Every structure is written in structure tokens, then in C-alpha cells.
């Protein structure tokens, strides 16, 4: 299992990219709020996409559109992938949920 310092570093980078993507969208279309280990993205309809750390298992959990997905970091590819092997990637999945709940293009900065 990955050590805590590495996990914290990776999670901080994820949250930074996601907040930057949210900040580029009109707050009337998508509102972003961070509280501790959680990022909540809220559409005008009040539908939400929640990104939360799962420190004990070194994962990131995403809830949105009536589903919750756990993502684990894949050192070989440098990406966060769903832990059930469905081929979902964290940033793509969150972008899809944001598009579905708000219609906004959730574009991540490089």
C-alpha cells in the first residue's frame, strides 16, 4: 500500500486540478466548495458531484448521478482508475458527471 505522504501529495494535486477546473466555470452554472477532505460540485438544480478521500484504503471516492465509485492510483500509468476494473478514470468520470448535472464542460488545466 502507498505511504500516507505520497497519498496526501497525490490527493492535493487532484483537488487542485478539480478546483481550478471548477473555478473556470461560471458559479451560476457550477459551484465548488472544499471542506477538509471533500470537494462538492453543485449544479443549479442542486444535484451534486462529491469527491472525497478514503484515507484508510488510499483511494478517492466519487459520488454523482446515483452512483459511488472508488478510484485507486495506478503507479504504472500515473492515473486514478476505478477499483472494479471497469476502465473508468477519475478525471474523465468527474467531468462526465459535471456535464450531466450542469451541462458545463469541466476542462482540467494541464
Amino acid at each position: 500500500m502507498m505511504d500516507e505522504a505520497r497519498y496526501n501529495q497525490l490527493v492535493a494535486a487532484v483537488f487542485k486540478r478539480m478546483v481550478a477546473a471548477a473555478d473556470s466555470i461560471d458559479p451560476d452554472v457550477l459551484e465548488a466548495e472544499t471542506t477538509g477532505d471533500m470537494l462538492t460540485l453543485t449544479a443549479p438544480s442542486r444535484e451534486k458531484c462529491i469527491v472525497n478521500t478514503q484515507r484508510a484504503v488510499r483511494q478517492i471516492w466519487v459520488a454523482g448521478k446515483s452512483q459511488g465509485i472508488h478510484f485507486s492510483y495506478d503507479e504504472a500509468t500515473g492515473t486514478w482508475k476505478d477499483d472494479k476494473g471497469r476502465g473508468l478514470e477519475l478525471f474523465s468520470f468527474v467531468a462526465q458527471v459535471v456535464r450531466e448535472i450542469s451541462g458545463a464542460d469541466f476542462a482540467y488545466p494541464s
Side-chain angles (χ1 to χ4, degrees), residues 11-23 30-42 47-54 60-64 90-91 94-95 97-98 101 106 108:
V11 166
V14 165
F15 275 49
K16 183 177 179 180
R17 280 185 73 196
M18 288 188 182
V19 168
D23 285 349
L30 186 73
E31 182 180 321
E33 178 182 1
T34 55
T35 309
D37 284 351
M38 184 167 55
L39 169 63
T40 304
L41 304 166
T42 307
E47 288 181 278
K48 298 179 186 305
C49 177
I50 299 171
V51 181
N52 196 5
T53 62
Q54 300 289 294
I60 293 176
W61 177 74
V62 179
L90 174 65
F91 291 105
V94 172
V97 172
V98 167
I101 67 172
F106 201 65
Y108 298 100

Side-chain angles (χ1 to χ4, degrees), residues 27-102:
D28 290 335
V29 175
L30 186 73
E31 182 180 321
E33 178 182 1
T34 55
T35 309
D37 284 351
M38 184 167 55
L39 169 63
T40 304
L41 304 166
T42 307
S45 65
R46 307 314 299 160
E47 288 181 278
K48 298 179 186 305
C49 177
I50 299 171
V51 181
N52 196 5
T53 62
Q54 300 289 294
R55 291 190 180 282
V57 291
R58 307 289 195 263
Q59 293 182 325
I60 293 176
W61 177 74
V62 179
K65 295 304 282 181
S66 302
Q67 58 183 327
I69 309 286
H70 288 89
F71 292 87
S72 298
Y73 189 72
D74 180 355
E75 290 284 353
T77 62
T79 60
W80 291 87
K81 295 185 177 184
D82 75 279
D83 70 344
K84 302 293 186 213
R86 292 174 283 193
L88 300 174
E89 189 275 330
L90 174 65
F91 291 105
S92 297
F93 180 75
V94 172
Q96 175 188 349
V97 172
V98 167
R99 203 170 12 265
E100 288 176 7
I101 67 172
S102 71

